[in-house]
Amino acid sequence: MVKLTLISIFALAASLASAHPNKWNITFVSPTSETVWITDKTIVEWRVPDGTKFPKKIHTFLELLHVHPENPEDTDVWSLVSDFDINKGSILASLPLLPNGEANYTLLLLVDDYHGGITTIESEQFTIKTLQN
């Protein structure tokens, strides 16, 4: 049930964001396609262009997305962090409990300014390796 709820939230956010794709010109600095994330925590970094003025009321989310290569309609979404200062350009994110093995993931930075929808910034695809305890 939780998985369906998160997917529904993601689908709603993605549909709202489609009208406003990255209107803030924010770009991910890390992770990149060369990144292999092997610890349970990492610093995620993004760049906000100089002079960007965000409204006072803003809501931010950082989500981890995994599309199953064998079935692209099957997607897992985990909410990592919400309500952080986007102007700082980085945040320490903790990984959820993931299946063992190696898989490709994408980070989504969602910015809701409450005026015109949600802006979605998508990272490059990167690899996460998880090891069995």
Side-chain angles (χ1 to χ4, degrees), residues 8-112:
S8 299
I9 291 169
F10 169 73
L12 174 62
S15 66
L16 289 172
S18 61
H20 305 280
N22 202 355
K23 72 177 181 178
W24 302 107
N25 295 317
I26 298 166
T27 54
F28 270 99
V29 176
S30 70
T32 66
S33 57
E34 289 81 37
T35 301
V36 178
W37 196 349
I38 56 173
T39 62
D40 62 346
K41 292 182 181 179
T42 193
I43 297 284
V44 175
E45 295 177 278
W46 58 88
R47 182 174 294 115
V48 177
D50 292 342
T52 301
K53 300 274 192 232
F54 291 105
K56 288 183 181 178
K57 186 177 180 184
I58 198 164
H59 194 55
T60 48
F61 310 85
L62 184 64
E63 297 188 340
L64 183 68
L65 174 68
H66 173 63
V67 177
H68 295 265
E70 64 280 358
N71 184 6
E73 293 179 4
D74 190 8
T75 303
D76 297 320
V77 180
W78 295 271
S79 183
L80 300 184
V81 188
S82 64
D83 277 338
F84 50 89
D85 185 352
I86 196 164
N87 293 296
K88 288 188 176 177
S90 68
I91 196 163
L92 179 67
S94 298
L95 280 177
L97 186 60
L98 298 171
N100 286 319
E102 182 175 320
N104 291 325
Y105 295 82
T106 303
L107 280 175
L108 297 176
L109 183 61
L110 304 168
V111 182
D112 185 356

